[in-house]
């Protein structure tokens, strides 16, 4: 690895959105329902390939969670990235189908590695992490829509804040064809239960599935945002590829299936990006599959770059969050005006009201956001995020992080809760952010930080 020059950060995009992400891979295990037709079966974590970077790193340490997190912390140190605010993501297969004891041990090991100390219990490890050098500000679990609702309390105990659901498409006929083993109703139920519990929700979407076509993909994609039963906060868009040792591979050789071409995917992506509302962030487009594991389909992993460059050339205004983030504007040396305003978008979702608060400049460059949900379960902040290059705790920022924008968002949200005559505001908080909320008058109640609001 090339070492950075003094003061330089290697691969700055990794922490450009304000946090330092650490992916932790699970040991290989088959999904209980069998195998979705497009999923490769390669004796590595389900749906991954032996040469995926995260699998290679994890298999070297025998999928030991502690060692994986430690190694990533060291790698970020070598690249000169701040390592104060860590977002953990547990990936590979369906974590919630593993043995329950293993799940707890795995999560605890992640906190232990961040703390550089092995605690007796998970609660002890979390308590220690509240003031540790490497704080877990967010924890993400990937799961299936049918392995979710029954485990919400468990995920809360782990300190999870975000759940990524393998949704792919919202169509029961296609689910059957591709052997997903769950229904659209499962997606609807999981989305509602997760939102009511305060989780941020990401959907994995897969255009070009068996039984779909460009038109159908677009119609069903629009539905994600027009039907209040869905409305995800984030998306990962992974067009269907033919991978080795999958049922789809056999169909491909028998000429029963063809993936989209690069041109088709680009065309579809441009249409999709244009309809994504302001409250949704596209985390990633295209899976990082090593080209030698793609039997058919596009190998262009960085397709997003081309698509966005084309959209920017045409001066297209997109609502999607990542397209508007200050970190990328600064990286691309675009002009960033610093007079800021607050915008609030209110929308209905899963039988509740969502308030999406944003701090933007006059060119709609996004500095920070907050998601508030008001439903029968009460008022809950599902996310607060200030964008820009991640900084160390206590470091004074110039733009974006550490300039008081978080406090501004918190003051505004409390006003909204007060106007709605709600006496208690809860926050789903990463363990490492509890201290921040304590300083704003919140206290720990169960797994949430809460504050009484005078109405
Ligand atoms: S649920 Fe995910 S990991 Fe499991 S078989 Fe289907 S695609 Fe693969």
């Amino acid at each position: 690895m090339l070492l950075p020059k003094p003061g330089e950060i290697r691969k700055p995009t990794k922490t450009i959105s304000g946090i330092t992400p650490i992916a932790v891979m699970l040991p290989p295990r088959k999904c209980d329902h069998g195998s979705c037709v497009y999923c490769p079966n390669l004796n590595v974590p389900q749906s991954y390939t032996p040469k995926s970077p995260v699998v290679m790193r994890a298999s070297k340490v025998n999928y030991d969670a502690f060692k994986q997190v430690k190694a990533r912390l060291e790698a970020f140190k070598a690249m000169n990235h701040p390592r104060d605010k860590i977002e953990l993501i547990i990936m590979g297969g369906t974590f919630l189908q593993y043995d329950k004891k293993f799940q707890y041990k795995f999560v605890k090991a992640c906190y232990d590695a961040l703390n550089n100390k092995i605690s007796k219990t998970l609660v002890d490890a979390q308590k220690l992490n509240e003031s540790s050098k490497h704080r877990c500000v967010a924890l993400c679990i990937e799961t299936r829509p049918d392995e979710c609702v029954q485990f919400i309390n468990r995920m809360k105990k782990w300190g999870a804040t975000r759940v990524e659901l393998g949704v792919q498409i919202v169509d029961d006929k296609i689910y059957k064809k591709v052997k997903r083993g769950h229904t659209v109703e499962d997606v609807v139920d999981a989305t509602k239960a997760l939102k009511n519990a305060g989780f941020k929700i990401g959907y994995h979407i897969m255009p070009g599935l068996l039984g779909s076509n460009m038109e159908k993909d677009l119609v069903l994609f629009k539905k994600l945002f027009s039907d209040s039963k869905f409305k995800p906060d984030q998306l990962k868009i992974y067009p269907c590829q033919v991978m080795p040792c999958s049922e789809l591979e056999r169909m491909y050789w028998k000429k029963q299936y063809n993936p989209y071409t690069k041109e088709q995917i680009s065309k579809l992506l441009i249409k999709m990006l244009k309809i994504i509302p302001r409250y949704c962030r596209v985390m990633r487009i295209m899976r990082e599959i090593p080209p030698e594991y793609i039997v058919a389909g596009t190998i262009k992993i960085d397709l997003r770059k081309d698509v966005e460059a084309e959209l920017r050339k045409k001066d297209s205004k997109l609502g999607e969050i990542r397209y508007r983030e200050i970190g990328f504007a600064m990286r691309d040396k675009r002009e960033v005006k610093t007079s800021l305003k607050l915008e609030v978008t209110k929308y209905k979702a899963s039988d509740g009201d969502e308030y999406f608060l944003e701090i933007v400049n006059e060119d709609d460059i996004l500095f920070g956001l907050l998601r508030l949900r008001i439903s029968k379960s009460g008022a809950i902040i599902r996310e607060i995020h200030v964008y820009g290059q991640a900084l160390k705790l206590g470091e004074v920022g110039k733009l974006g992080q550490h300039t008081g924008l978080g406090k501004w968002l918190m003051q505004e949200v409390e006003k909204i809760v007060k106007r709605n005559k709600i006496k208690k505001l809860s926050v789903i908080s990463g363990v490492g952010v509890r201290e921040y909320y304590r300083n704003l008058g919140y206290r720990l109640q169960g797994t949430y930080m809460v504050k009484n609001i005078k109405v």
Side-chain angles (χ1 to χ4, degrees):
M1 180 174 48
L2 259 181
L3 288 178
K5 297 181 195 122
E8 183 207 15
I9 295 180
R10 286 262 303 127
K11 302 188 181 172
T13 311
K14 287 194 179 289
T15 52
I16 208 165
S17 297
I19 47 98
T20 304
I22 293 188
V24 200
M25 183 59 77
L26 292 161
R29 180 189 181 280
K30 295 262 171 252
C31 284
D32 289 351
H33 78 292
S35 201
C36 304
V37 298
Y38 50 84
C39 193
N41 294 283
L42 295 165
N43 293 325
V44 286
Q46 191 73 44
S47 95
Y48 286 84
T49 73
K51 289 211 180 134
S52 305
V54 60
V55 173
M56 295 211 304
R57 289 196 296 261
S59 59
K60 247 195 235 161
V61 293
N62 206 16
Y63 299 95
D64 181 295
F66 186 93
K67 288 182 186 161
Q68 288 187 61
V69 174
K70 288 293 276 182
R72 288 314 284 156
L73 284 173
E74 285 310 311
F76 277 117
K77 185 180 177 189
M79 291 190 280
N80 230 352
H81 285 271
R83 301 169 303 154
D84 303 42
K85 292 174 250 172
I86 307 291
E87 179 177 64
L88 290 173
I89 172 158
I90 297 177
M91 51 181 22
T94 307
F95 184 45
L96 290 161
Q97 288 178 343
Y98 283 63
D99 172 67
K100 188 176 164 190
K101 269 198 193 137
F102 169 85
Q103 293 171 10
Y104 273 87
K105 255 176 79 181
F106 199 85
V107 173
K108 179 180 167 287
C110 293
Y111 284 110
D112 283 342
L114 292 179
N115 297 339
N116 200 23
K117 186 182 170 196
I118 296 178
S119 296
K120 262 196 174 150
T121 65
L122 174 62
V123 174
D124 290 346
Q126 290 175 326
K127 183 92 201 107
L128 196 60
N129 191 254
E130 286 181 15
S131 54
S132 142
K133 201 167 148 201
H134 311 300
R135 296 189 196 171
C136 177
V137 298
L139 169 59
C140 174
I141 308 288
E142 285 185 341
T143 191
R144 295 165 46 85
D146 56 342
E147 297 282 359
C148 179
V149 179
Q150 64 276 40
F151 300 120
I152 281 185
N153 277 336
R154 194 179 294 178
M155 290 193 278
K156 276 170 29 183
K157 281 187 192 151
W158 295 340
T161 51
R162 175 157 73 95
V163 174
E164 287 187 10
L165 294 174
V167 170
Q168 323 307 358
I169 194 160
V170 285
D171 186 288
D172 280 329
K173 274 196 196 140
I174 296 179
Y175 281 159
K176 267 211 176 120
K177 266 202 161 131
V178 300
K179 304 190 177 163
R180 277 296 295 171
H182 67 78
T183 61
V184 175
E185 208 183 329
D186 292 319
V187 177
V188 172
D189 293 347
T191 302
K192 184 173 173 178
L194 286 168
K195 280 188 181 162
N196 281 345
F199 288 97
K200 193 164 47 149
I201 302 174
Y203 282 0
H204 291 195
I205 293 299
M206 190 169 272
L209 277 169
L210 184 73
S212 193
N213 55 50
M214 300 259 289
E215 206 180 312
K216 198 170 202 168
D217 277 336
L218 194 62
V219 168
L220 292 171
F221 188 78
K222 280 184 186 159
K223 193 173 175 184
L224 295 181
F225 301 105
S226 60
D227 188 331
S228 70
K229 295 199 281 289
F230 305 109
K231 306 207 175 179
D233 306 307
Q234 305 181 332
L235 293 176
K236 286 184 177 169
I237 306 177
Y238 295 151
C240 189
Q241 321 262 54
V242 180
M243 293 183 68
C245 303
S246 66
E247 214 177 314
L248 203 59
E249 188 192 10
R250 286 192 289 279
M251 293 180 186
Y252 171 73
W253 294 124
K254 282 190 197 157
K255 302 200 181 323
Q256 292 165 344
Y257 172 78
N258 259 320
Y260 290 157
T261 61
K262 191 183 103 195
E263 289 65 34
Q264 282 175 311
I265 297 174
S266 305
K267 218 168 134 189
L268 188 60
L269 282 174
I270 288 179
K271 288 185 183 158
M272 286 176 162
L273 285 169
K274 285 185 176 167
I275 54 176
I276 295 173
R278 320 183 50 80
Y279 59 79
C280 185
R281 182 176 196 267
V282 179
M283 309 288 280
R284 198 181 163 90
I285 291 175
M286 305 296 296
R287 281 194 70 188
E288 213 179 336
I289 303 167
E292 62 264 45
Y293 285 95
I294 297 181
V295 176
T298 177
I299 53 168
K300 189 138 181 55
I301 293 173
D302 61 348
L303 190 58
R304 179 181 204 156
K305 237 167 70 194
D306 295 359
V307 167
E308 286 195 353
E310 195 182 324
L311 285 162
R312 288 204 199 275
K313 212 163 71 195
K314 289 187 184 145
D315 211 14
S316 304
K317 300 270 177 263
L318 295 195
E320 188 269 311
I321 289 172
R322 194 175 177 276
Y323 191 78
R324 300 189 287 122
E325 281 175 28
I326 179 187
F328 292 100
M330 289 175 73
R331 181 198 66 182
D332 301 343
K333 303 205 170 17
R334 278 180 271 140
E335 185 195 359
V336 178
K337 294 178 186 140
T338 52
S339 97
L340 304 179
K341 58 181 176 180
L342 180 90
E343 271 191 23
V344 182
T345 308
K346 187 179 169 191
Y347 61 97
K348 296 260 175 224
S350 305
D351 297 325
D353 289 326
E354 295 281 338
Y355 292 79
F356 181 65
L357 282 66
E358 294 171 272
I359 294 174
V360 290
N361 72 5
E362 62 185 85
D363 297 320
D364 211 19
I365 291 179
L366 178 68
F367 286 64
L369 63 82
L370 187 149
R371 298 176 196 274
L372 168 74
R373 175 170 177 82
I374 297 183
S375 69
K376 277 187 193 147
S377 312
I380 188 156
I381 295 174
R382 299 195 296 115
E383 179 185 13
I384 175 166
H385 195 126
V386 175
Y387 287 97
Q389 176 62 49
L391 296 178
K392 292 180 176 155
L393 288 164
E395 191 178 338
V396 179
K398 291 188 194 111
L399 278 174
Q401 292 216 325
H402 301 188
T403 56
L405 301 183
K407 269 195 194 129
W408 181 6
L409 288 163
M410 290 302 286
Q411 281 162 3
E412 295 298 331
V413 80
E414 287 179 16
K415 286 184 204 161
I416 296 174
V417 173
K418 205 171 170 157
R419 274 204 299 275
N420 279 277
K421 300 199 177 5
I422 297 172
K423 290 185 182 149
K424 190 170 104 178
L425 175 57
S426 307
V427 190
I428 190 161
S429 161
V431 164
V433 203
R434 286 178 182 166
E435 210 44 45
Y436 173 82
Y437 291 114
R438 276 195 192 101
N439 290 333
L440 296 178
Y442 289 71
R443 64 183 191 283
L444 183 65
Q445 194 179 83
T447 57
Y448 298 113
M449 297 304 291
V450 299
K451 186 176 181 178
N452 296 332
I453 305 288
K454 279 194 195 121
V455 296

